[in-house]
Amino acid sequence: MRVNEQQLRTIEYDAARDGLTIIDQTRLPHHFETVLLRSLGDVCHAISTMQVRGAPLIGVTAAYGLYFALRDGDASLSSACRILNETRPTAVNLAWALTSMSTRLETVASAHLASEALVHANALAQEDAMICEAIGEQGLSLLQEAWEAKKAKDGDAQALNILTHCNAGWLATVDWGTALAPIYKAKLAGIPVHVWVDETRPRNQGAFLTAWELKHQGIPHTVIVDNAGGHLMQNGLVDLCIVGSDRTTIRGDVCNKIGTYLKALAAADNHIPFYVALPLSTIDASLHDGLKEIPIEQRSASEITHMQGIDEHGELRSVQVALSESVVDNAGFDVTPARLVTALITEKGIALPNESSLRELLAR
Ligand code: MRU
């Protein structure tokens, strides 16, 4: 994707410095800064502080963490996997990437473990970008249909209005994104898209990251408060919703950033399609009931009591918004039951949110 006319990926292995360059997402949108990660500790810190975040990106970054651990002799394969896996609990892509690395390294002689780990981490990164582009292609067909239908109903229609929550764009993956990939493809195909961007409290991934991405790709968008979506839907201003997923059960329950469920409820009430875009690695086929079985990350209270922004000198500052005495609850994710999901957009095709449709796709 492009930033200031420069082609970029969210993370890139730097062979000359034998480290991983990441975009520090805690500094966006006001400061664009990159950081070089060079050790297992750096990777764990980057994931847990959300310098890198988004389910697919966490997984690929962790794969490089495993490489650093093996290169430096910091930990055995199994203990490095355990340490990395504990950095964030909800996104299953983390465990998926570590399992993929472990399986690949199982039979490798110890002298070659680190070099093989690097080869596989680079392959996972490349694969993630290709998968996300394929998700974009699959989703494009839905957006094309929606735009044709809208134009047929209203010849004066100006744009296809899409609502998204959190950031499931290229910053959440190595490139392209999941929920935003079909939107990027639609723009390339000449469909006039406009995106309603939920700000996504408490960390404002929508206002900070999605709006930044869309600006750099030249896509018209409007940032809205998290509570505005229902009102817009009631007034015919949303044609469809697309969100990402951190973990999806085999029956199609979707766990995504807190607040996703409320958007799905409003969409169902207003007969608006609610799509979820995800790589197949986000499906946890061992789970059936998302509400009961998916672990929900509890994050620091300070994300709610405080907010970050820039002051008049352009310096990043954190200000307190809630009373210190207030008890707060900061569940990072919620579960949208399959019955509220219209369809799942994956790299291999579009599935209905039920077990047979998902199993059929997984078997392709
Ligand atoms: O807490 P975050 O910012 O890692 O949460 C990210 C999301 O909820 C995304 O929607 C999800 O990971 C899908 S990303 C392609």
Side-chain angles (χ1 to χ4, degrees):
M1 288 287 135
R2 297 186 81 73
V3 181
N4 299 330
E5 301 313 311
Q6 207 192 338
Q7 196 67 28
L8 278 185
R9 281 192 166 175
T10 314
I11 56 172
E12 294 226 46
Y13 174 67
D14 179 337
R17 296 191 288 173
D18 197 9
L20 185 69
T21 303
I22 62 159
I23 297 170
D24 183 349
Q25 300 192 27
T26 63
R27 309 280 295 166
L28 289 172
H30 303 293
H31 300 284
F32 178 81
E33 289 169 17
T34 57
V35 173
L36 187 73
L37 308 182
R38 303 198 54 176
S39 66
L40 172 65
D42 286 353
V43 168
C44 290
H45 177 261
I47 297 175
S48 54
T49 60
M50 294 175 65
Q51 284 179 312
V52 289
R53 30 68 50 203
L57 189 65
I58 296 170
V60 180
T61 307
Y64 285 101
L66 205 52
Y67 159 61
F68 294 141
L70 297 171
R71 180 198 62 190
D72 299 342
D74 275 351
S76 66
L77 180 61
S78 59
S79 60
C81 283
R82 188 182 39 74
I83 293 165
L84 285 159
N85 206 25
E86 281 168 3
T87 50
R88 291 198 71 189
T90 299
V92 76
N93 306 61
L94 180 54
W96 176 88
L98 293 170
T99 305
S100 166
M101 292 286 286
S102 304
T103 311
R104 171 82 176 248
L105 298 174
E106 231 161 42
T107 53
V108 173
S110 54
H112 304 297
L113 264 182
S115 57
E116 270 302 304
L118 178 58
V119 168
H120 193 48
N122 283 334
L124 284 183
Q126 181 57 21
E127 190 183 271
D128 186 70
M130 285 163 54
I131 285 173
C132 288
E133 182 166 10
I135 291 171
E137 292 289 349
Q138 297 287 348
L140 172 61
S141 59
L142 294 173
L143 300 198
Q144 256 155 350
E145 271 170 37
W147 176 234
E148 291 308 323
K150 184 168 180 174
K151 273 194 308 186
K153 242 195 205 163
D154 171 8
D156 294 331
Q158 297 296 306
L160 187 67
N161 291 307
I162 302 168
L163 183 140
T164 192
H165 190 67
C166 194
N167 173 263
W170 68 268
L171 287 168
T173 66
V174 175
D175 206 349
W176 286 99
T178 58
L180 296 192
I183 295 172
Y184 293 139
K185 287 285 179 184
K187 156 111 171 125
L188 292 171
I191 299 172
V193 278
H194 164 263
V195 184
W196 295 110
V197 179
D198 283 351
E199 66 173 347
T200 318
R201 273 286 280 154
R203 289 187 69 101
N204 291 322
Q205 288 96 326
F208 288 2
L209 306 177
T210 300
W212 181 83
E213 270 193 36
L214 293 171
K215 179 193 103 169
H216 282 280
Q217 308 313 313
I219 294 187
H221 59 279
T222 306
V223 178
I224 52 175
V225 294
D226 289 327
N227 296 329
H231 162 76
L232 295 173
M233 292 185 211
Q234 285 174 320
N235 284 283
L237 296 169
V238 178
D239 296 308
L240 56 98
C241 305
I242 314 184
V243 300
S245 170
D246 279 76
R247 200 183 285 234
T248 304
T249 68
I250 196 64
R251 290 183 185 159
D253 294 342
V254 170
C255 183
N256 191 52
K257 182 54 56 193
I258 193 86
T260 302
Y261 168 54
L262 289 177
K263 297 297 140 29
L265 277 175
D269 193 44
N270 291 282
H271 312 290
I272 291 168
F274 190 87
Y275 296 114
V276 183
L278 63 150
L280 290 173
S281 55
T282 303
I283 297 174
D284 187 341
S286 68
L287 303 188
H288 290 83
D289 184 335
L291 212 50
K292 290 200 181 118
E293 296 173 289
I294 298 178
I296 301 291
E297 178 178 14
Q298 280 287 334
R299 294 196 56 90
S300 156
S302 67
E303 291 182 350
I304 292 184
T305 57
H306 291 66
M307 264 182 99
Q308 189 173 280
I310 47 168
D311 65 16
E312 65 274 31
H313 307 293
E315 292 296 323
L316 270 187
R317 294 258 182 263
S318 175
V319 295
Q320 184 166 347
V321 287
L323 288 174
S324 311
E325 303 80 25
S326 296
V327 176
V328 296
D329 179 78
N330 191 9
F333 298 88
D334 62 23
V335 174
T336 299
R339 66 185 158 77
L340 298 176
V341 175
T342 307
L344 300 152
I345 307 166
T346 79
E347 68 272 29
K348 288 200 181 164
I350 294 163
L352 292 173
N354 62 54
E355 183 161 353
S356 63
S357 187
L358 281 171
R359 286 213 186 276
E360 192 270 313
L361 212 60
L362 286 169
R364 274 188 204 172

